[in-house]
Amino acid sequence: MAEGPPRGRTPSPGPGGAPGPPSPRVAGAAAGSSGTLSPPAAASKWVRLNVGGTYFVSTRQTLCREPKSFLCRLCCQDGPELGSDKDETGAYLIDRDPTYFGPILNYLRHGKLIINKELAEEGVLEEAEFYNIASLVRLVKERIRDNENRTSQGPVKHVYRVLQCQEEELTQMVSTMSDGWKFEQLISIGSSYNYGNEDQAEFLCVVSRELNNSTNGIVKEPSEKAKILQERGSRM
């Protein structure tokens, strides 16, 4: 005894009016009127962070600027490498000081190290090391080292010399002002004597330089141009 077609289906007529095979059902037809599945929504490009109770909002592109950093591994778009709890708003929970997170986030945004005067550079360095941002760690260490060098040098001191010269010697005097010497003032003292039929004008030239003649306890010898200035100064 031949079986009939399954209930609920109407077989299509075949050649010569004979029933044909049932038509295949479209997979996922219930997902939409067109019978195709809608693509999954793309992950949001904005990320919300809860750092020590303070909220920060940034883009994934910014947070992933340093591929090996903690922030990139936390919320990279391809799938986070680090697990982290989220609060009721969906923000990533990070148990760090929010005061020093601002310079970290700004550096990832524009690549510049900007630290407010009220913030300690050592605190920014500690956070940069925690978030594993190697380029920022180098910048902060350089900033700290430069500040320490300026502090160890103390206030800048200057040494002054007063050189007496004639008017025709001014050009040569200016040409020898190097090796750290800087022109300060030129004082005319009039014509002190006659040479032939011409009056010879006399000037006092005041020059200065920073007093920094030793490095690591080694005294530097003055250069030849500095010796010329010293010899001219001895004429006074």
Side-chain angles (χ1 to χ4, degrees), residues 174-209:
V174 172
S175 66
T176 59
M177 281 177 49
S178 62
D179 197 52
W181 289 97
K182 182 174 61 176
F183 173 79
E184 295 289 346
Q185 189 176 5
L186 184 66
I187 304 173
S188 175
I189 56 176
S191 301
S192 58
Y193 61 92
N194 293 331
Y195 182 77
N197 296 327
E198 297 180 359
D199 291 336
Q200 297 295 318
E202 292 281 325
F203 295 90
L204 297 180
C205 184
V206 182
V207 296
S208 70
R209 65 171 295 177

Side-chain angles (χ1 to χ4, degrees), residues 95-108:
D95 187 20
R96 301 297 293 184
D97 189 347
T99 305
Y100 292 98
F101 187 72
I104 303 294
L105 185 56
N106 284 332
Y107 173 77
L108 293 175

Side-chain angles (χ1 to χ4, degrees), residues 46-199:
W46 291 98
V47 178
R48 188 176 174 90
L49 304 173
N50 183 343
V51 183
T54 301
Y55 287 98
F56 296 86
V57 179
S58 185
T59 63
R60 293 183 188 273
Q61 181 180 3
T62 295
L63 298 177
C64 296
R65 187 149 293 166
E66 291 281 339
K68 296 182 180 180
S69 69
F70 170 88
L71 294 172
C72 181
R73 297 173 62 196
L74 178 68
C75 56
C76 59
Q77 194 167 355
D78 295 336
E81 298 180 15
L82 298 178
S84 176
D85 294 333
K86 296 184 179 181
D87 63 11
E88 63 278 2
T89 68
Y92 288 97
L93 287 167
I94 303 176
D95 187 20
R96 301 297 293 184
D97 189 347
T99 305
Y100 292 98
F101 187 72
I104 303 294
L105 185 56
N106 284 332
Y107 173 77
L108 293 175
R109 286 169 172 160
H110 48 59
K112 297 180 180 179
L113 175 59
I114 301 176
I115 303 177
N116 294 334
K117 294 181 179 180
E118 63 271 13
L119 294 182
E121 293 166 340
E122 290 77 6
V124 178
L125 176 60
E126 182 69 23
E127 297 306 297
E129 290 176 342
F130 171 81
Y131 292 108
N132 194 30
I133 305 176
S135 57
L136 180 57
V137 170
R138 289 193 297 268
L139 282 179
V140 180
K141 286 184 176 179
E142 290 175 1
R143 176 80 62 87
I144 293 175
R145 185 163 50 250
D146 291 343
N147 291 339
E148 289 176 349
N149 291 338
R150 283 196 293 267
T151 303
S152 62
Q153 291 175 358
V156 179
K157 297 180 181 180
H158 291 81
V159 58
Y160 292 86
R161 289 191 178 278
V162 180
L163 311 177
Q164 184 176 359
C165 63
Q166 301 174 12
E167 183 177 3
E168 60 184 11
E169 297 175 325
L170 285 176
T171 302
Q172 183 181 2
M173 178 72 68
V174 172
S175 66
T176 59
M177 281 177 49
S178 62
D179 197 52
W181 289 97
K182 182 174 61 176
F183 173 79
E184 295 289 346
Q185 189 176 5
L186 184 66
I187 304 173
S188 175
I189 56 176
S191 301
S192 58
Y193 61 92
N194 293 331
Y195 182 77
N197 296 327
E198 297 180 359
D199 291 336

